[in-house]
Amino acid sequence: MLENRKLIPLVFLCCFHLISIESNGQTPLDELMMPKQDLCILVNYEFGRFDQYWEGEVLRKNGTIATVQRRSALVMAAYGITDKLDMYLGLPFVQTNSTIPNGGKFAGTSGLQDLSTGFKYQILDKKTEKHQLSLLASAMFSVPASNYLSDYQPYSLGLKTPQFAWRILGHYQLLSGFYGRALAGYLWKGYTKAEREYYYNNGSYFTPWMDVPNSINFDLTAGKWFWQNSLRVEATLSTQNSVSGDDIRAYNAPQPTNKVDFMRLGGFAHYYFPKINGFGVLGYWNQVIEGRNMPEMSTWGLGVTYQFGIKN
């Protein structure tokens, strides 16, 4: 039988919407489940940068704002309600800036982004001596945690809108430790309020309320466990396609109504210390390779996890 790994690699990868983080940046994306009444804490740091972005489907240089940088610190917890049901809670702090802020006319910003919570349920877990097949579903909800500006791009902390994500995940693993995973999801986003009374979105709107496009997301992952299941390494191809929205207008800043599509490559590793019970360290890297109204963003992150049991 394949070993049922107890520790959970809570990796929460950010997708940049030209200054907006999608909530799937804070979603459980793996097949691992927490044992009942176990708690896992993640503390994570991430750095991202870009100096080019797609205006519609045309790749452009950032020009006067040069290289945009984004730093975030995340604290997140996962708790095993039962062996088949996990609960998640997370809150990131985000700081943005650019290397040449347009002669001082535009400054970066910082603050708490969105508070997220959600659940992951194991629908199926079938094991034999040669393989393991798992099927899981998750739902995540997030709301703004501070009064930040959503229409201050490319420096805004996020979209400042309620978001709800549904996802289903399939995982297949061999006795050798090799595995593959596929994920499909739908991300609903509400309205965000801008500090202006007019905007253009394939037509004129005389209101501060902007309709943020929903999106469909797919991930394909290949990975392997090493060193008696103490090291997990994987590579992921991710895509997002918005179901509505407009393109960034020529020589204009992006806005939350934009249609944001992308394809991204990523690598991830999580090491569990065999002699330090409950502790783990993780690292990851991502690169957007194709996009629409999207930065050509590269990110890397480092984190520490600690898992322990809570008994009545």
Side-chain angles (χ1 to χ4, degrees):
M1 299 286 287
L2 295 175
E3 182 179 350
N4 183 16
R5 193 66 197 177
K6 279 189 165 185
L7 294 171
I8 184 166
L10 299 172
V11 60
F12 309 94
L13 308 181
C14 291
C15 303
F16 223 76
H17 172 183
L18 277 180
I19 62 85
S20 302
I21 286 194
E22 307 290 356
S23 63
N24 64 333
Q26 300 151 16
T27 302
L29 302 178
D30 58 61
E31 82 293 351
L32 300 182
M33 299 296 299
M34 299 289 295
K36 182 179 179 180
Q37 294 185 321
D38 263 26
L39 178 68
C40 184
I41 305 295
L42 166 72
V43 179
N44 190 80
Y45 172 80
E46 180 173 285
F47 176 80
R49 65 184 299 276
F50 71 94
D51 59 10
Q52 295 189 102
Y53 67 97
W54 284 274
E55 182 183 87
E57 297 179 337
V58 178
L59 188 62
R60 298 177 58 94
K61 293 285 289 184
N62 278 1
T64 56
I65 60 174
T67 300
V68 176
Q69 300 175 333
R70 186 182 187 93
R71 299 169 178 85
S72 64
L74 170 69
V75 177
M76 192 158 191
Y79 178 70
I81 299 175
T82 72
D83 289 337
K84 292 184 176 292
L85 179 64
D86 290 350
M87 179 179 180
Y88 298 86
L89 184 67
L91 181 63
F93 180 90
V94 179
Q95 186 269 332
T96 64
N97 71 284
S98 64
T99 52
I100 303 176
N102 200 17
K105 296 180 181 179
F106 295 101
T109 186
S110 63
L112 295 175
Q113 194 213 46
D114 298 340
L115 177 66
S116 64
T117 186
F119 298 89
K120 181 169 68 174
Y121 180 72
Q122 187 181 71
I123 301 170
L124 173 69
D125 185 30
K126 185 177 181 181
K127 301 177 183 178
T128 71
E129 294 182 353
K130 295 183 178 180
H131 62 82
Q132 177 179 354
L133 177 64
S134 303
L135 182 66
L136 305 98
S138 69
M140 297 290 292
F141 178 72
S142 68
V143 292
S146 65
N147 190 29
Y148 62 83
L149 302 178
S150 62
D151 192 30
Y152 182 45
Q153 302 196 17
Y155 303 109
S156 176
L157 305 182
L159 290 168
K160 200 183 178 184
T161 178
Q163 301 183 50
F164 197 91
W166 300 267
R167 288 182 173 83
I168 189 163
L169 180 151
H171 179 92
Y172 181 77
Q173 184 171 326
L174 299 173
L175 181 64
S176 61
F178 285 102
Y179 61 84
R181 186 168 65 244
L183 179 148
Y186 185 84
L187 180 58
W188 173 88
K189 310 180 188 83
Y191 284 80
T192 186
K193 187 177 183 180
E195 287 197 333
R196 50 175 161 152
E197 297 296 327
Y198 168 83
Y199 67 91
Y200 188 88
N201 174 13
N202 295 322
S204 295
Y205 290 80
F206 294 89
T207 173
W209 292 98
M210 295 182 173
D211 187 4
V212 183
N214 303 332
S215 64
I216 299 170
N217 300 73
F218 295 99
D219 291 355
L220 290 175
T221 299
K224 189 180 187 307
W225 288 96
F226 295 93
W227 303 340
Q228 298 180 329
N229 287 348
S230 61
L231 174 64
R232 177 182 178 112
V233 177
E234 60 186 42
T236 298
L237 176 67
S238 302
T239 65
Q240 172 180 295
N241 290 280
S242 297
V243 299
S244 62
D246 60 341
D247 286 327
I248 300 172
R249 300 171 69 190
Y251 302 105
N252 277 256
Q255 63 185 29
T257 63
N258 293 150
K259 177 181 178 66
V260 178
D261 301 337
F262 67 81
M263 180 179 293
R264 183 186 64 207
L265 288 174
F268 164 74
H270 194 160
Y271 179 72
Y272 309 93
F273 293 96
K275 296 182 179 180
I276 308 177
N277 189 34
F279 276 99
V281 293
L282 61 86
Y284 57 89
W285 165 85
N286 292 284
Q287 176 66 55
V288 175
I289 58 175
E290 184 177 314
R292 178 173 180 170
N293 304 307
M294 177 77 187
E296 193 179 40
M297 186 80 179
S298 62
T299 60
W300 60 266
L302 297 172
V304 177
T305 57
Y306 177 60
Q307 181 176 333
F308 56 95
I310 300 176
K311 306 299 180 182
N312 295 328

